[in-house]
Structure formats: structure tokens, C-alpha cells
């Protein structure tokens, strides 16, 4: 029999890579990044951005190279430079301060977060106390709390928090939620709220946004076929953390990674199928990077599992497109 040399691919173990869809950028993140890019075109560099425009280091570094300067507070912005507010939303005091200083500012708050802000303001006008389901310290929570007077809104993080609530007046309650929560955890908290306060006012429509719900549903759809799940996203990205939790609850070991270099190859082992998804602030280029890294160690067969097609887009602020 003639000698047949082996190709590299034949030596590598087979691996099915199942890529969740939808994944990655949502309409709000896409819009926020475009706003910074357009602001750089319109005003020239530097353009200041208050907080990470979206929770992704790769995106932030790219914008920095283009001339964006990221700061924590408005006081770090010089009077003669424009500033963009991040997609997570800001307390009312921030645009007020910008106006008082005569700063040029562009608000990149996701329209779905702004919708929650408006709901909060309306509920306060109706004389209600708001129970807000969210995660302490997240910029979106800080932004929403900053829409209403202090003491008129209470944070609820868990079902246990509902049992421990000690409110002087429970006659006029309403609840709202952060947009990037776990659909399942939130349903349990809402259930607990409705049981304890049957008259509580619910939002007219779901506050958890379409992108968060769709990405969690897509993970649920592929998880039963996966031995491991890689979730691409930042450790401070709420919706990415929730994706890893969703897989883990189904019994699939999952890891949140920022880049391909974060793959723990010992943990990954020799799986038959690896699932991949990406949080709403993680660009597709990072998904490709992870698949390419897997190809260096496995003979990869790639499949995409389409779950819910998305067509959502948001208008850009008039001042940047006019
Ligand atoms: S995750 Fe949802 S709320 Fe957040 S920016 Fe994206 S679309 Fe908007």
C-alpha cells in the first residue's frame, strides 16, 4: 500500500461548533457605537464618552483609537468638547449639568431604556412607589433611579428581597425591571411581588428587552445539544452573564470569555459539541476569533442554530444625521 501522509485536519479530534442565533450586537448597542463614530466625524477628535459606551473592552479600545476619550464623570470633560452618554442611560442630573455648563452632548441611551425611564416618571406622577427589579450598582439601575425623586423607588434583586420588604404604604405600588435580566429569575420575582401585593401595577409591556429575551431563548434552544458553552462577553455585561447562567441551569458547563485567549483548554476537554453565543455588546469578530482558535485544536464542523430572527433598528439622534 502506498504511503499516504496524514493532513493536520485528520489528526485533530472532531468538534461540532453550534453557534446560537441571535447573538451579539443588539440594535441599542449598534446605535450607541454609531453615535460615537458619527460624533467623531461631525465634531472631530477628541469626543468624550461618559462611561463605557457599551460593556465591551474590544469596542471601547477601537473607539479610543478613533479619538474617543472615556471618562467616569462629566467634570472630566473640557467645556469645549462634545460628550456622549452611554447606552445604559444616565440620571437626569447628568444632562442637566451638561446644559448648565453649555456642553454639547449626545445621548446614546438605548430607546428601550428611555422607555423604562418614561414609565418610571409616569408612575411617580400617578403617586405610586416603584419596586425596581435589577442589579445593584449597574449603570442602567443608577440611570433609572436618577429619573425619580429619592425614596420613591426601591431595588429588588431577589425573591427573598420581596419577603423582606417593609414599606409604610403598600396601596399604590408598581414594578419595573432592568432591561437585561434573566427572564426566568425575573418571572419568579414578579410572581412573588404579585402574590404579596395583588394590586401592584405591572408595566404595560415587558421591560426585559427583545435582545435579552431572544439571546436567552437561543441559548436554551441549543444547550441540550452541547457539552460545553462559551459565552463571549465582558464580565460586567449583565446580559452576557445571564447567558452563561441560562446554560448552566440547563446543566451545561458554561464560561464567560472576553476573547479567544481566555479559553481554558483543560476545562473545555474533548467535547463532541461546543455551543457559542455572544452578549449584546460583543461584536461578531470575536465569535470568529473564538471559532478560529477552536480550529487550531479541533477538526471543526460549524453550524448556526437560528432561533428568532431580529429586525429591530433604532433611529439615530437628529443632531447627528441632519
Ligand atoms: S440589550 Fe436591550 S436595552 Fe440594552 S442596549 Fe441592547 S436593545 Fe437596548
Amino acid at each position: 500500500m502506498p504511503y499516504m501522509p496524514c493532513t493536520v485536519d485528520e489528526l485533530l479530534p472532531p468538534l461540532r461548533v453550534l453557534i446560537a442565533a441571535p447573538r451579539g450586537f443588539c440594535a441599542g448597542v449598534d446605535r450607541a457605537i454609531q453615535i460615537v463614530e458619527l460624533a467623531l466625524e461631525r465634531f472631530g477628535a477628541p469626543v468624550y464618552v461618559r462611561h463605557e459606551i457599551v460593556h465591551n473592552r474590544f469596542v471601547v479600545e477601537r473607539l479610543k483609537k478613533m479619538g474617543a476619550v472615556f471618562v467616569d464623570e462629566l467634570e472630566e470633560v473640557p467645556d469645549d468638547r462634545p460628550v456622549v452618554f452611554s447606552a445604559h442611560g444616565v440620571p437626569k442630573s447628568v444632562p442637566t449639568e451638561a446644559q448648565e455648563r453649555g456642553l454639547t452632548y449626545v445621548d446614546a441611551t438605548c430607546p428601550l431604556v428611555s422607555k423604562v425611564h418614561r414609565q418610571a416618571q409616569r408612575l411617580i406622577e400617578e403617586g405610586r412607589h416603584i419596586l425596581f427589579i435589577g442589579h445593584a450598582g449597574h449603570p442602567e439601575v443608577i440611570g433609572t433611579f436618577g429619573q425619580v425623586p429619592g425614596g420613591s423607588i426601591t431595588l429588588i434583586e431577589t425573591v427573598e428581597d420581596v419577603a423582606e420588604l417593609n414599606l409604610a404604604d403598600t396601596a399604590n405600588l408598581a414594578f419595573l425591571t432592568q432591561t437585561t435580566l434573566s427572564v426566568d429569575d425575573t418571572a419568579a420575582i414578579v410572581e412573588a411581588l404579585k402574590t404579596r401585593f395583588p394590586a401592584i401595577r405591572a408595566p404595560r409591556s415587558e421591560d426585559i428587552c427583545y435582545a435579552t429575551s431572544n439571546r436567552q431563548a437561543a441559548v436554551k434552544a441549543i444547550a441540550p445539544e452541547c457539552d460545553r458553552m462559551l459565552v463571549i462577553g465582558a464580565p460586567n455585561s449583565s446580559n452576557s452573564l445571564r447567558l452563561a447562567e441560562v446554560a448552566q441551569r440547563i446543566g451545561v458547563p458554561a464560561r464567560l470569555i472576553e476573547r479567544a485567549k481566555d479559553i481554558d483548554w483543560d476545562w473545555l476537554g474533548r467535547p463532541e459539541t461546543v455551543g457559542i453565543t455572544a452578549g449584546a455588546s460583543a461584536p461578531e469578530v470575536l465569535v470568529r476569533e473564538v471559532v478560529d482558535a477552536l480550529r487550531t485544536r479541533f477538526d471543526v464542523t460549524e453550524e448556526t442554530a437560528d432561533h428568532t430572527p431580529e429586525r429591530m433598528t433604532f433611529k439615530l439622534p437628529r443632531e447627528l444625521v441632519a
Side-chain angles (χ1 to χ4, degrees):
M1 201 170 155
Y3 169 70
M4 297 284 288
C6 287
T7 66
V8 172
D9 278 356
E10 282 165 337
L11 296 173
L12 298 175
L15 176 67
R16 178 176 174 234
V17 173
L18 194 49
I19 306 181
R23 64 180 174 280
F25 277 6
C26 59
V29 162
D30 212 31
R31 174 179 180 269
I33 294 168
Q34 277 191 65
I35 286 175
V36 178
E37 290 169 350
L38 287 170
L40 282 162
E41 265 176 40
R42 166 80 42 120
F43 305 111
V47 164
Y48 283 73
V49 184
R50 187 184 175 278
H51 290 178
E52 283 188 332
I53 184 75
V54 300
H55 281 152
N56 190 278
R57 210 188 302 172
F58 181 87
V59 171
V60 166
E61 289 304 323
R62 189 179 75 82
L63 292 171
K64 270 188 191 170
K65 283 190 193 124
M66 293 170 70
V69 177
F70 291 84
V71 294
D72 289 331
E73 295 305 334
L74 220 48
E75 62 195 27
E76 297 166 64
V77 180
D79 289 340
D80 60 348
R81 294 312 307 163
V83 59
V84 177
F85 303 147
S86 83
H88 311 100
V90 290
K92 261 185 180 174
S93 56
V94 173
T96 304
E97 188 190 331
Q99 273 163 18
E100 283 168 3
R101 282 185 52 198
L103 292 178
T104 299
Y105 67 89
V106 188
D107 190 354
T109 302
C110 174
L112 299 182
V113 174
S114 301
K115 189 184 95 180
V116 178
H117 289 181
R118 286 193 299 276
Q119 283 179 296
Q121 287 159 4
R122 217 173 301 130
L123 290 168
I124 297 304
E125 282 159 21
E126 289 172 13
R128 293 185 183 268
H129 184 90
I130 301 169
L131 301 178
F132 190 80
I133 306 170
H135 297 296
H138 190 278
E140 185 185 329
V141 174
I142 294 169
T144 304
F145 271 55
Q147 304 303 312
V148 296
S152 62
I153 186 165
T154 304
L155 184 66
I156 305 285
E157 293 191 87
T158 62
V159 168
E160 290 71 39
D161 287 351
V162 178
E164 286 163 16
L165 266 176
N166 189 7
L167 298 166
D169 178 10
T170 59
N172 287 303
L173 293 178
F175 73 85
L176 296 172
T177 80
Q178 193 178 326
T179 57
T180 51
L181 299 179
S182 150
V183 172
D184 296 336
D185 286 352
T186 308
I189 297 173
V190 168
E191 190 56 38
L193 282 173
K194 287 182 172 170
T195 304
R196 185 157 175 212
F197 308 111
I200 194 166
R201 166 84 70 86
R204 261 187 237 128
S205 62
E206 182 69 78
D207 290 331
I208 296 178
C209 78
Y210 80 98
T212 299
S213 310
N214 288 350
R215 279 151 192 68
Q216 289 177 22
V219 165
K220 281 185 189 167
I222 64 166
E225 295 181 54
C226 300
D227 305 304
R228 293 280 187 276
M229 181 81 68
L230 293 170
V231 178
I232 302 163
N236 57 346
S237 158
S238 174
N239 80 85
S240 305
L241 287 162
R242 305 291 83 80
L243 293 176
E245 281 173 11
V246 165
Q248 277 156 353
R249 284 191 189 160
I250 294 172
V252 183
R255 286 275 170 94
L256 183 63
I257 56 170
E258 289 193 80
R259 304 282 304 248
K261 65 176 173 44
D262 303 324
I263 299 172
D264 177 343
W265 297 102
D266 291 337
W267 168 83
L268 194 72
R270 282 282 186 96
E272 281 179 21
T273 303
V274 168
I276 297 184
T277 186
S281 41
E284 184 64 13
V285 64
L286 299 183
V287 175
R288 297 321 315 164
E289 184 185 272
V290 168
V291 176
D292 288 346
L294 292 170
R295 284 189 193 283
T296 64
R297 300 189 183 223
F298 297 95
D299 179 12
V300 167
T301 311
E302 199 180 319
E303 287 173 42
T304 300
D306 261 318
H307 189 263
T308 317
E310 288 180 348
R311 287 179 201 89
M312 184 77 83
T313 53
F314 296 130
K315 279 191 193 147
L316 289 161
R318 243 174 299 142
E319 61 265 41
L320 290 180
V321 288

